[in-house]
Amino acid sequence: MERKIGVYICECGPNISEKIDIDKVIDAVSLPEDVAVVKRYKLLCSVDGKKFLEDEIKKQGLTHLVIAACSPKQHEKTFMEVCENAGINPYLYQLANIREQCAWVTDDKDEATKKAIRLVKAAIRRVRYHFPLEKKEIACNPDVLVIGGGVAGLEASLQLASSDRRVYLVEKTSSLGGMVDNFEKTFPNMQPGSNLIKQKILDVNKNENIKVFTDSIVEELLGFFGSFEVKVKAKEQDAFVEFDVGAVVLATGSSFFDPKQTPQYGYGTLDNVFTAIEFEKMNKSGKISLKNGKTPKNVAIVHCVGRNEKGYCSQICCMYSLKFARYLKEKIPDVNVFHFYSDMCIPGKSQQKFYDQTKGKHINFIRSSNIEVTKKGDNVQINYSDEDGKANNLPANMVILSPAITPTSDSSQLAELAGISQDDSGFFAEEHEKLNPISTSTEGIYIVGSAQGPKDIPDTLIQAEAATGKILSSLVPGRKIEPEVKVSHISESFCIGCKNCMSVCSYGTITFDEEKKVCVVNEVICRGCGNCVAACPSGAATLKHFTFKQLYQEILEAV
Amino acid sequence: MSKSKETSTIKTAVLPAKSGTKKAILDFLKNAMDKKNFDAVIIPMRVPAGDSFVYVLIKDVSLLKDAFPLSPVMSVQGARVVSSVTRLGKGDMKIAAVMRPCEIRATIELAKFGQVDLENVTLISMDCPGVMPISDFLSDPEKGMKLFDDAVTSWDDSIMRPVCKICDKSSMIAGDIHIGTLGAKKDTFFMIPKTQKGNDTLEKSDIKIDADLDEWHNKVTTLSEEKKKKRNSANKDLKVKTGGIDNLIDTFSQCINCHNCMKVCPICFCRLCYFDSENVKHSAENYLQIAENKGSIRFLPDTILFQTGRMMHMSVSCVSCGSCEDACPASIPVGQIFSMIADETQKAFDYVSGRDINEPTPLVAYKKDELHEMEDAHD
């Protein structure tokens, strides 16, 4: 069929028409034989404009369309729809940006007109080398993978599971419950923590739409929003369980700063120096005692262990340290508790109240710095500088260290697996700190709870509910999704098997065919970013709709 | 990784070489083959006509006596040889490859690109005095051989390839074992293991690794410092001569578009060079369009595009062997230019081609914080 290119230049009100001599552009680009029509229009993206274009394509019998208007970021899709409505393949069209990159960057009308001519000519030359691409539709998978069986993961699973949505909950340890299961009580209402978690575990286990994997890890996660392929492996087994999901919730929790990295606190070298979690477990076992079995009389709680090393406040340590004083007071009524702190972090509607209720005759707060724990006889001694900078010390039987909350040791591995980024401290990075606090750089993967940063239980649950809200509203059963059409292709006859492309692919799209010694693209997973094309030394990788030929032809006219 | 730190912990073996180093190296290889430490050896050999040298893969141990570890010319870059042998898989046999340091470094680069499988290969390098340009040698092989022998004795580089004259990595230990002749006492030479594989190989040949490297190291450092100075000043001159678009066009104006430089380059491993592909061949309409835009168009076109494109593709891995320059029928100092650019591109990524098999190539290594000096270049 004979090629008939239609070129339409948008005035964009005064935006383009006042800065570019559109008639001059029309004259300059009308010459080639296959350019059937060149016209101007006041606002192509308007309802009238779209109707005009649709009629023109049909009336003129156009085979290719060039629009000179605004940035493709704004209206590329708009005109693709026009093409579809008018019955031509939407990839047989090219948009020349003569607004943002031309009209808006200079006051010199002559220069802007010259540049516009080049840009439109380049688009015309490029569109000649376009070929039709077919859109594919695949059904979106409504199922969800939840990684981490702590309070966040349990909550998300319960909210998401329904008769038309299956939830796969993968927990790396042997039991559900996570960190909260260690807590006898939780602040600030001092309600039992294990009750809270036990009910959720019960509900999860009896929910037939939740499949629980314990002692298991996610080995592979490939794909995109609506269609992820998952491989789960049980520990110490070779076999995988494979399934597909549409979205992923990362609820992998956090870990603690290792106080052995700060030897001044005596952890690991002195008896009766415990970490917060060790103390939680001791308390939950029913008896608070020293190593020799005796009951402690004087207990020091050291706040902010590792805060300087990590460079952030862990937000919950002051509150649980206050809770420890309550534990101690309940179990050992005549105990003396000494909080060594530098700043109290107790924001929110109930925290201050909790602090006021906790402090009392035998619960002391010592604002201090330069803390060091040393041995003194059978006991320990806390050496410190007081508020005036004066050296002081205090003997005690027991020391509890409140260490910073840190990312789990496998967080980098998980981040790589899920293709999401980490912040400076190693926590999973949200897409935007304020605007998108639970989304990530990968659509369809959400981060909830302390895997995203230090957090108490209510905040964790809020995030779990927020993520489920996002998923429920977007991952609707029956919805169709369109995989990227402009995907990469690796030529088998040109590929030399250097695997450069595999190292730069962010989506795990490319595999290596050991038999043929060539790299192969999985077109369903490919997002068309073009990294592989740039990294391929031999031109074996090409991107559909951005072929070497198309780019070369475009550049030829532009420079 | 500084050189002194790298070598200070390494010990060396000192071996006798009463009948010359060449004989001693061949004896070592023969012994290792007899003991089945190696099943085959890749090494240069003089062609039967006597006027040139080629690489051979020796399986018959009796042929080793004719091998020539330090050949006066580099007719084929050794990395291409190791790649030819192992690209489709490592094979069952253990192979020793005796090559110059730049060939070893190129081999290591190719291993990073999956074009060489090093698992069954032991890389043996040696102190390199340089190689003669092929055309110089071929014009009178007998005289060439004598000149080369004299140059090896006096360590004089005046007859060598231009890039050899300014090579500061001629004793770089990149492979498994390095043969050192610099700083060695009369009738001896060093065998320096770098890797566990090198160590094991020497031990299996009952070679004791107990001597200090100091003498070799001092000599090598002095030499490499001297060469570095020469290199800097040569590159400075070359930059003046070839820098800027006009000089660049002048320099490559003699290019006949034969692509020999790419064909002999050990790093240019692509099955089909982009610049030989259909992607750079255009319709008459296109050529006329360019001619219209510029007034005329040179044929064959795209010489500068080819040179700079190839430079962009391979300069971070370039080992400055000079094979390209030897292959250029138009006598363009292409090896010197690429070597100068390689210095800069590798410096930008804090990378040295072939230094370490575990050092990822800059293209695939993601660093969040890098290339700030390049950002400034736009100010």
Side-chain angles (χ1 to χ4, degrees), chain B residues 142-175:
Chain B
E142 212 169 304
K143 188 177 150 209
M145 202 62 232
K146 185 165 179 328
L147 283 172
F148 185 77
D149 283 343
D150 291 348
V152 171
T153 318
S154 60
W155 217 258
D156 171 15
D157 58 25
S158 55
I159 58 160
M160 305 301 180
R161 279 179 178 171
V163 286
C164 296
K165 292 181 195 170
I166 54 167
C167 175
D168 58 345
K169 297 182 178 65
S170 55
S171 292
M172 187 166 170
I173 315 181

mmCIF file of all heavy atoms in Angstrom, chain B residues 142-175:
data_model
loop_
_atom_site.group_PDB
_atom_site.id
_atom_site.type_symbol
_atom_site.label_atom_id
_atom_site.label_comp_id
_atom_site.label_asym_id
_atom_site.label_seq_id
_atom_site.Cartn_x
_atom_site.Cartn_y
_atom_site.Cartn_z
ATOM 1 N N GLU B 142 65.994 -12.115 9.352
ATOM 2 C CA GLU B 142 67.278 -12.502 9.952
ATOM 3 C C GLU B 142 67.851 -11.346 10.776
ATOM 4 O O GLU B 142 68.234 -11.512 11.926
ATOM 5 C CB GLU B 142 68.256 -12.882 8.838
ATOM 6 C CG GLU B 142 69.231 -13.951 9.272
ATOM 7 C CD GLU B 142 69.994 -14.477 8.062
ATOM 8 O OE1 GLU B 142 69.320 -14.933 7.083
ATOM 9 O OE2 GLU B 142 71.224 -14.406 8.065
ATOM 10 N N LYS B 143 67.816 -10.171 10.130
ATOM 11 C CA LYS B 143 68.318 -8.976 10.809
ATOM 12 C C LYS B 143 67.412 -8.671 12.018
ATOM 13 O O LYS B 143 67.866 -8.319 13.112
ATOM 14 C CB LYS B 143 68.313 -7.794 9.831
ATOM 15 C CG LYS B 143 68.990 -6.546 10.359
ATOM 16 C CD LYS B 143 69.009 -5.455 9.302
ATOM 17 C CE LYS B 143 68.963 -4.078 9.947
ATOM 18 N NZ LYS B 143 68.313 -3.082 9.099
ATOM 19 N N GLY B 144 66.118 -8.834 11.784
ATOM 20 C CA GLY B 144 65.136 -8.576 12.840
ATOM 21 C C GLY B 144 65.403 -9.440 14.058
ATOM 22 O O GLY B 144 65.373 -8.962 15.198
ATOM 23 N N MET B 145 65.690 -10.716 13.813
ATOM 24 C CA MET B 145 65.949 -11.649 14.913
ATOM 25 C C MET B 145 67.155 -11.196 15.718
ATOM 26 O O MET B 145 67.154 -11.219 16.956
ATOM 27 C CB MET B 145 66.193 -13.036 14.308
ATOM 28 C CG MET B 145 65.964 -14.182 15.259
ATOM 29 S SD MET B 145 64.255 -14.273 15.834
ATOM 30 C CE MET B 145 64.524 -14.339 17.576
ATOM 31 N N LYS B 146 68.180 -10.751 14.987
ATOM 32 C CA LYS B 146 69.403 -10.321 15.675
ATOM 33 C C LYS B 146 69.135 -9.052 16.503
ATOM 34 O O LYS B 146 69.513 -8.952 17.666
ATOM 35 C CB LYS B 146 70.507 -10.058 14.622
ATOM 36 C CG LYS B 146 71.814 -9.737 15.289
ATOM 37 C CD LYS B 146 73.017 -9.811 14.442
ATOM 38 C CE LYS B 146 74.251 -9.426 15.261
ATOM 39 N NZ LYS B 146 74.019 -8.429 16.305
ATOM 40 N N LEU B 147 68.437 -8.110 15.851
ATOM 41 C CA LEU B 147 68.098 -6.867 16.557
ATOM 42 C C LEU B 147 67.306 -7.160 17.826
ATOM 43 O O LEU B 147 67.539 -6.591 18.892
ATOM 44 C CB LEU B 147 67.262 -5.953 15.651
ATOM 45 C CG LEU B 147 67.984 -5.178 14.561
ATOM 46 C CD1 LEU B 147 66.976 -4.481 13.657
ATOM 47 C CD2 LEU B 147 68.942 -4.151 15.185
ATOM 48 N N PHE B 148 66.360 -8.088 17.699
ATOM 49 C CA PHE B 148 65.510 -8.408 18.840
ATOM 50 C C PHE B 148 66.327 -9.047 19.967
ATOM 51 O O PHE B 148 66.175 -8.701 21.140
ATOM 52 C CB PHE B 148 64.357 -9.328 18.409
ATOM 53 C CG PHE B 148 63.377 -9.608 19.511
ATOM 54 C CD1 PHE B 148 62.430 -8.652 19.884
ATOM 55 C CD2 PHE B 148 63.405 -10.812 20.214
ATOM 56 C CE1 PHE B 148 61.533 -8.897 20.918
ATOM 57 C CE2 PHE B 148 62.507 -11.063 21.252
ATOM 58 C CZ PHE B 148 61.569 -10.098 21.597
ATOM 59 N N ASP B 149 67.191 -10.006 19.585
ATOM 60 C CA ASP B 149 68.030 -10.661 20.596
ATOM 61 C C ASP B 149 68.871 -9.633 21.348
ATOM 62 O O ASP B 149 68.987 -9.677 22.577
ATOM 63 C CB ASP B 149 68.942 -11.710 19.947
ATOM 64 C CG ASP B 149 68.175 -12.976 19.613
ATOM 65 O OD1 ASP B 149 67.057 -13.145 20.174
ATOM 66 O OD2 ASP B 149 68.651 -13.774 18.790
ATOM 67 N N ASP B 150 69.463 -8.701 20.591
ATOM 68 C CA ASP B 150 70.271 -7.642 21.223
ATOM 69 C C ASP B 150 69.414 -6.798 22.156
ATOM 70 O O ASP B 150 69.820 -6.451 23.271
ATOM 71 C CB ASP B 150 70.886 -6.721 20.154
ATOM 72 C CG ASP B 150 71.952 -7.455 19.353
ATOM 73 O OD1 ASP B 150 72.341 -8.562 19.796
ATOM 74 O OD2 ASP B 150 72.348 -6.929 18.296
ATOM 75 N N ALA B 151 68.200 -6.490 21.681
ATOM 76 C CA ALA B 151 67.314 -5.631 22.472
ATOM 77 C C ALA B 151 66.913 -6.311 23.778
ATOM 78 O O ALA B 151 66.792 -5.657 24.819
ATOM 79 C CB ALA B 151 66.069 -5.272 21.662
ATOM 80 N N VAL B 152 66.720 -7.631 23.714
ATOM 81 C CA VAL B 152 66.348 -8.356 24.923
ATOM 82 C C VAL B 152 67.501 -8.328 25.927
ATOM 83 O O VAL B 152 67.297 -8.140 27.133
ATOM 84 C CB VAL B 152 65.942 -9.814 24.597
ATOM 85 C CG1 VAL B 152 65.764 -10.623 25.873
ATOM 86 C CG2 VAL B 152 64.662 -9.832 23.772
ATOM 87 N N THR B 153 68.714 -8.487 25.410
ATOM 88 C CA THR B 153 69.879 -8.468 26.292
ATOM 89 C C THR B 153 70.063 -7.098 26.938
ATOM 90 O O THR B 153 70.285 -6.972 28.140
ATOM 91 C CB THR B 153 71.167 -8.819 25.496
ATOM 92 O OG1 THR B 153 70.867 -9.891 24.613
ATOM 93 C CG2 THR B 153 72.293 -9.200 26.437
ATOM 94 N N SER B 154 69.912 -6.046 26.130
ATOM 95 C CA SER B 154 70.184 -4.707 26.660
ATOM 96 C C SER B 154 68.919 -4.040 27.215
ATOM 97 O O SER B 154 68.970 -2.953 27.777
ATOM 98 C CB SER B 154 70.760 -3.831 25.543
ATOM 99 O OG SER B 154 69.808 -3.756 24.491
ATOM 100 N N TRP B 155 67.776 -4.734 27.040
ATOM 101 C CA TRP B 155 66.480 -4.186 27.432
ATOM 102 C C TRP B 155 66.245 -2.811 26.796
ATOM 103 O O TRP B 155 65.784 -1.877 27.423
ATOM 104 C CB TRP B 155 66.357 -4.131 28.957
ATOM 105 C CG TRP B 155 64.955 -4.446 29.407
ATOM 106 C CD1 TRP B 155 64.024 -3.560 29.795
ATOM 107 C CD2 TRP B 155 64.348 -5.737 29.464
ATOM 108 N NE1 TRP B 155 62.840 -4.202 30.090
ATOM 109 C CE2 TRP B 155 63.011 -5.544 29.904
ATOM 110 C CE3 TRP B 155 64.764 -7.047 29.184
ATOM 111 C CZ2 TRP B 155 62.118 -6.614 30.069
ATOM 112 C CZ3 TRP B 155 63.891 -8.090 29.353
ATOM 113 C CH2 TRP B 155 62.587 -7.872 29.799
ATOM 114 N N ASP B 156 66.566 -2.770 25.494
ATOM 115 C CA ASP B 156 66.446 -1.512 24.744
ATOM 116 C C ASP B 156 65.176 -1.585 23.904
ATOM 117 O O ASP B 156 64.980 -2.535 23.146
ATOM 118 C CB ASP B 156 67.694 -1.357 23.851
ATOM 119 C CG ASP B 156 67.572 -0.201 22.870
ATOM 120 O OD1 ASP B 156 66.668 0.655 23.062
ATOM 121 O OD2 ASP B 156 68.366 -0.155 21.916
ATOM 122 N N ASP B 157 64.298 -0.588 24.036
ATOM 123 C CA ASP B 157 62.996 -0.701 23.373
ATOM 124 C C ASP B 157 62.908 0.079 22.064
ATOM 125 O O ASP B 157 61.840 0.218 21.493
ATOM 126 C CB ASP B 157 61.885 -0.274 24.331
ATOM 127 C CG ASP B 157 62.064 1.140 24.842
ATOM 128 O OD1 ASP B 157 62.723 1.939 24.142
ATOM 129 O OD2 ASP B 157 61.560 1.442 25.942
ATOM 130 N N SER B 158 64.041 0.579 21.571
ATOM 131 C CA SER B 158 63.951 1.499 20.430
ATOM 132 C C SER B 158 63.428 0.855 19.149
ATOM 133 O O SER B 158 62.924 1.546 18.278
ATOM 134 C CB SER B 158 65.310 2.157 20.169
ATOM 135 O OG SER B 158 66.274 1.148 20.010
ATOM 136 N N ILE B 159 63.525 -0.499 19.032
ATOM 137 C CA ILE B 159 63.027 -1.113 17.798
ATOM 138 C C ILE B 159 61.605 -1.647 17.946
ATOM 139 O O ILE B 159 61.047 -2.227 17.031
ATOM 140 C CB ILE B 159 63.942 -2.297 17.361
ATOM 141 C CG1 ILE B 159 64.016 -3.338 18.492
ATOM 142 C CG2 ILE B 159 65.311 -1.807 16.954
ATOM 143 C CD1 ILE B 159 64.451 -4.714 18.002
ATOM 144 N N MET B 160 60.999 -1.440 19.132
ATOM 145 C CA MET B 160 59.711 -2.085 19.402
ATOM 146 C C MET B 160 58.531 -1.255 18.882
ATOM 147 O O MET B 160 58.693 -0.120 18.456
ATOM 148 C CB MET B 160 59.550 -2.319 20.902
ATOM 149 C CG MET B 160 60.688 -3.105 21.541
ATOM 150 S SD MET B 160 60.880 -4.735 20.808
ATOM 151 C CE MET B 160 62.267 -5.362 21.781
ATOM 152 N N ARG B 161 57.334 -1.859 18.982
ATOM 153 C CA ARG B 161 56.104 -1.143 18.645
ATOM 154 C C ARG B 161 56.039 0.163 19.454
ATOM 155 O O ARG B 161 56.449 0.176 20.623
ATOM 156 C CB ARG B 161 54.877 -1.977 19.053
ATOM 157 C CG ARG B 161 54.482 -3.047 18.086
ATOM 158 C CD ARG B 161 53.264 -3.807 18.638
ATOM 159 N NE ARG B 161 52.837 -4.818 17.691
ATOM 160 C CZ ARG B 161 51.908 -5.752 17.955
ATOM 161 N NH1 ARG B 161 51.334 -5.805 19.151
ATOM 162 N NH2 ARG B 161 51.557 -6.629 17.045
ATOM 163 N N PRO B 162 55.506 1.224 18.861
ATOM 164 C CA PRO B 162 55.425 2.499 19.605
ATOM 165 C C PRO B 162 54.734 2.349 20.969
ATOM 166 O O PRO B 162 55.159 2.959 21.941
ATOM 167 C CB PRO B 162 54.627 3.392 18.666
ATOM 168 C CG PRO B 162 54.888 2.844 17.307
ATOM 169 C CD PRO B 162 55.051 1.366 17.466
ATOM 170 N N VAL B 163 53.674 1.546 21.046
ATOM 171 C CA VAL B 163 53.005 1.412 22.345
ATOM 172 C C VAL B 163 53.861 0.626 23.341
ATOM 173 O O VAL B 163 53.718 0.787 24.550
ATOM 174 C CB VAL B 163 51.600 0.769 22.251
ATOM 175 C CG1 VAL B 163 50.589 1.725 21.670
ATOM 176 C CG2 VAL B 163 51.633 -0.547 21.503
ATOM 177 N N CYS B 164 54.744 -0.254 22.822
ATOM 178 C CA CYS B 164 55.639 -1.007 23.718
ATOM 179 C C CYS B 164 56.667 -0.067 24.356
ATOM 180 O O CYS B 164 57.058 -0.243 25.512
ATOM 181 C CB CYS B 164 56.369 -2.110 22.961
ATOM 182 S SG CYS B 164 55.267 -3.382 22.311
ATOM 183 N N LYS B 165 57.088 0.933 23.578
ATOM 184 C CA LYS B 165 58.083 1.869 24.102
ATOM 185 C C LYS B 165 57.569 2.654 25.295
ATOM 186 O O LYS B 165 58.342 3.156 26.098
ATOM 187 C CB LYS B 165 58.499 2.866 22.997
ATOM 188 C CG LYS B 165 59.280 2.238 21.880
ATOM 189 C CD LYS B 165 59.651 3.299 20.859
ATOM 190 C CE LYS B 165 60.104 2.620 19.580
ATOM 191 N NZ LYS B 165 60.267 3.561 18.475
ATOM 192 N N ILE B 166 56.262 2.795 25.354
ATOM 193 C CA ILE B 166 55.698 3.570 26.473
ATOM 194 C C ILE B 166 54.794 2.700 27.347
ATOM 195 O O ILE B 166 53.896 3.186 28.032
ATOM 196 C CB ILE B 166 54.923 4.810 25.960
ATOM 197 C CG1 ILE B 166 53.862 4.399 24.940
ATOM 198 C CG2 ILE B 166 55.863 5.841 25.365
ATOM 199 C CD1 ILE B 166 52.860 5.497 24.623
ATOM 200 N N CYS B 167 55.073 1.386 27.358
ATOM 201 C CA CYS B 167 54.239 0.476 28.154
ATOM 202 C C CYS B 167 54.754 0.402 29.587
ATOM 203 O O CYS B 167 55.893 0.015 29.828
ATOM 204 C CB CYS B 167 54.244 -0.917 27.538
ATOM 205 S SG CYS B 167 53.347 -2.122 28.543
ATOM 206 N N ASP B 168 53.912 0.798 30.543
ATOM 207 C CA ASP B 168 54.338 0.742 31.949
ATOM 208 C C ASP B 168 53.784 -0.501 32.646
ATOM 209 O O ASP B 168 53.825 -0.610 33.854
ATOM 210 C CB ASP B 168 53.904 2.018 32.690
ATOM 211 C CG ASP B 168 52.398 2.240 32.629
ATOM 212 O OD1 ASP B 168 51.739 1.594 31.805
ATOM 213 O OD2 ASP B 168 51.889 3.055 33.421
ATOM 214 N N LYS B 169 53.217 -1.415 31.864
ATOM 215 C CA LYS B 169 52.668 -2.633 32.476
ATOM 216 C C LYS B 169 53.322 -3.877 31.894
ATOM 217 O O LYS B 169 52.742 -4.964 31.891
ATOM 218 C CB LYS B 169 51.147 -2.686 32.252
ATOM 219 C CG LYS B 169 50.424 -1.525 32.942
ATOM 220 C CD LYS B 169 48.926 -1.609 32.749
ATOM 221 C CE LYS B 169 48.221 -0.486 33.480
ATOM 222 N NZ LYS B 169 48.547 0.855 32.936
ATOM 223 N N SER B 170 54.585 -3.723 31.434
ATOM 224 C CA SER B 170 55.242 -4.827 30.734
ATOM 225 C C SER B 170 55.661 -5.951 31.673
ATOM 226 O O SER B 170 56.083 -7.009 31.234
ATOM 227 C CB SER B 170 56.453 -4.310 29.953
ATOM 228 O OG SER B 170 57.305 -3.611 30.828
ATOM 229 N N SER B 171 55.558 -5.709 32.996
ATOM 230 C CA SER B 171 55.861 -6.790 33.936
ATOM 231 C C SER B 171 54.689 -7.034 34.873
ATOM 232 O O SER B 171 54.846 -7.621 35.931
ATOM 233 C CB SER B 171 57.104 -6.443 34.764
ATOM 234 O OG SER B 171 58.238 -6.434 33.946
ATOM 235 N N MET B 172 53.521 -6.549 34.482
ATOM 236 C CA MET B 172 52.365 -6.671 35.373
ATOM 237 C C MET B 172 51.970 -8.144 35.561
ATOM 238 O O MET B 172 51.836 -8.887 34.606
ATOM 239 C CB MET B 172 51.191 -5.910 34.776
ATOM 240 C CG MET B 172 50.014 -5.848 35.708
ATOM 241 S SD MET B 172 48.879 -4.601 35.088
ATOM 242 C CE MET B 172 47.491 -4.905 36.116
ATOM 243 N N ILE B 173 51.813 -8.515 36.827
ATOM 244 C CA ILE B 173 51.406 -9.896 37.092
ATOM 245 C C ILE B 173 49.894 -9.954 37.115
ATOM 246 O O ILE B 173 49.257 -9.480 38.041
ATOM 247 C CB ILE B 173 51.924 -10.393 38.455
ATOM 248 C CG1 ILE B 173 53.388 -10.001 38.635
ATOM 249 C CG2 ILE B 173 51.774 -11.892 38.560
ATOM 250 C CD1 ILE B 173 53.964 -10.476 39.951
ATOM 251 N N ALA B 174 49.323 -10.507 36.077
ATOM 252 C CA ALA B 174 47.859 -10.587 36.039
ATOM 253 C C ALA B 174 47.392 -12.037 35.992
ATOM 254 O O ALA B 174 46.299 -12.349 36.423
ATOM 255 C CB ALA B 174 47.337 -9.822 34.824
ATOM 256 N N GLY B 175 48.241 -12.925 35.476
ATOM 257 C CA GLY B 175 47.831 -14.322 35.324
ATOM 258 C C GLY B 175 48.111 -15.137 36.570
ATOM 259 O O GLY B 175 48.057 -14.636 37.690
#
